Amino acid sequence: MNRIKEIRKKKGLSLQQVADAVGLGNNTISRYETGKREPKLETWKKLAVFLGVSVPYLQGVTIDRYDVLKVLNSAYYDFCKYPKPKSLVNCINDFIELVGISSPKSSLSEADLKNFSDKAFNYWNENFDFLFVCDRIEYLFDLPRLRVSNEEIERQVIWTIEETEIKLTSTKISEAFDNIVDSTLGNYYENREKLVRFNTKKEIEEYTVLLFAVLQNFLDEMKNLPENSKEQYTPQTARTRLNKFVDERKKNQLYCI
């Protein structure tokens, strides 16, 4: 299904405004929106220019923000109707608790969730906007819609939420680990297969001693650090970190429409 009506409504445009912009009747635009008539390529181009999007996006052949948010909404609605463990819903609940926002259940009616109403779209769009500056979701937007299942979108959303939560919950201890150990440990893990097969025992020992040394440095540093606790990442702190992360990504022109 094309996105002419969806984009027109989001931009607050009437059928007549769109029709006037491309030199057609509003009845014709209405038929385009319902799929009863297919625009010619030249008309697709005019519509895309006027609405400020690409032709493939307007035609609905690529993944977009609506598709991703609808997957979140559907998962949550299904959970409310048939309560059972679901990974995506668990991620959603963990995230809203972390940043201190109201739950979908308390913000939306059953009808909103069932029909993915404008109110439901706005809830997910406002509170999960961060998804669209993350690499996993950005990658999806380059793929044809027919090649990407809802299950694949769900997997990528789960991983993205979990990765984002890691960014928002750093403590003094985790920061010390990242600064002292992370790169050395990552390098050791990445090269371990070749290391233990093709290097000499002396070289293996040198690599391993280096890893032990940085781990010991981390243990020494940790002695003077405060204990891990949720007080170190309050909802306000998490939101501040989230806003900073999103702003930085937008400035680097990695933000998806």
Side-chain angles (χ1 to χ4, degrees):
M1 188 68 174
N2 70 61
R3 299 182 174 114
I4 300 173
K5 183 176 182 179
E6 172 194 334
I7 299 170
R8 174 176 66 79
K9 285 197 166 187
K10 286 181 181 178
K11 292 181 175 292
L13 299 170
S14 67
L15 281 170
Q16 191 62 56
Q17 286 174 301
V18 176
D20 290 343
V22 297
L24 295 169
N26 58 10
N27 287 336
T28 300
I29 300 300
S30 179
R31 292 190 186 98
Y32 291 162
E33 291 185 346
T34 58
K36 293 179 179 178
R37 185 171 175 180
E38 181 72 14
K40 294 180 180 179
L41 179 58
E42 190 59 36
T43 304
W44 277 122
K45 291 178 180 178
K46 290 180 180 179
L47 287 166
V49 169
F50 177 66
L51 296 172
V53 296
S54 68
V55 171
Y57 178 86
L58 188 61
Q59 290 174 326
V61 298
T62 56
I63 295 291
D64 80 327
R65 177 180 293 252
Y66 184 91
D67 297 316
V68 174
L69 297 179
K70 189 174 183 179
V71 165
L72 273 76
N73 185 83
S74 296
Y76 201 89
Y77 173 71
D78 290 345
F79 174 77
C80 292
K81 195 167 182 63
Y82 309 105
K84 59 181 180 179
K86 191 172 180 64
S87 297
L88 179 51
V89 174
N90 290 339
C91 279
I92 291 171
N93 288 335
D94 288 345
F95 178 78
I96 62 179
E97 179 181 359
L98 175 63
V99 298
I101 58 179
S102 60
S103 71
K105 194 171 184 178
S106 63
S107 303
L108 303 169
S109 68
E110 181 178 343
D112 286 325
L113 289 167
K114 180 179 180 180
N115 300 315
F116 193 38
S117 66
D118 289 344
K119 185 176 180 181
F121 174 88
N122 291 335
Y123 171 87
W124 297 108
N125 191 47
E126 178 182 348
N127 295 306
F128 288 80
D129 177 65
F130 71 92
L131 292 172
F132 304 102
V133 302
C134 296
D135 294 337
R136 291 182 183 277
I137 306 304
E138 187 178 56
Y139 168 73
L140 288 178
F141 284 8
D142 293 328
L143 302 177
R145 181 67 181 96
L146 293 178
R147 283 181 50 195
V148 184
S149 65
N150 286 345
E151 289 74 19
E152 178 59 23
I153 295 175
E154 187 169 312
R155 280 193 292 272
Q156 296 298 335
V157 168
I158 289 171
W159 287 332
T160 299
I161 292 175
E162 290 177 343
E163 289 169 354
T164 303
E165 287 177 338
I166 293 297
K167 299 178 187 298
L168 305 185
T169 54
S170 64
T171 65
K172 295 297 182 182
I173 293 176
S174 71
E175 290 170 2
F177 184 89
D178 291 343
N179 293 332
I180 299 171
V181 181
D182 197 48
S183 61
T184 303
L185 180 61
N187 183 60
Y188 189 92
Y189 184 81
E190 182 178 347
N191 295 289
R192 71 194 187 287
E193 301 291 358
K194 291 183 179 180
L195 174 65
V196 297
R197 286 168 173 76
F198 304 113
N199 290 60
T200 65
K201 288 194 288 185
K202 182 173 179 59
E203 289 170 333
I204 295 171
E205 180 182 359
E206 289 174 350
Y207 270 93
T208 306
V209 168
L210 174 61
L211 179 59
F212 270 111
V214 296
L215 286 169
Q216 186 60 57
N217 289 341
F218 167 66
L219 291 175
D220 292 340
E221 178 72 16
M222 187 171 64
K223 292 175 183 176
N224 301 316
L225 298 177
E227 184 62 76
N228 278 337
S229 68
K230 287 190 175 182
E231 283 70 26
Q232 294 182 66
Y233 44 86
T234 63
Q236 182 177 359
T237 302
R239 285 196 300 272
T240 299
R241 290 175 176 174
L242 182 63
N243 291 336
K244 181 179 179 182
F245 166 68
V246 171
D247 288 344
E248 288 175 351
R249 298 286 290 196
K250 287 182 179 180
K251 288 177 183 177
N252 290 328
Q253 298 182 329
L254 294 174
Y255 189 68
C256 297
I257 296 175

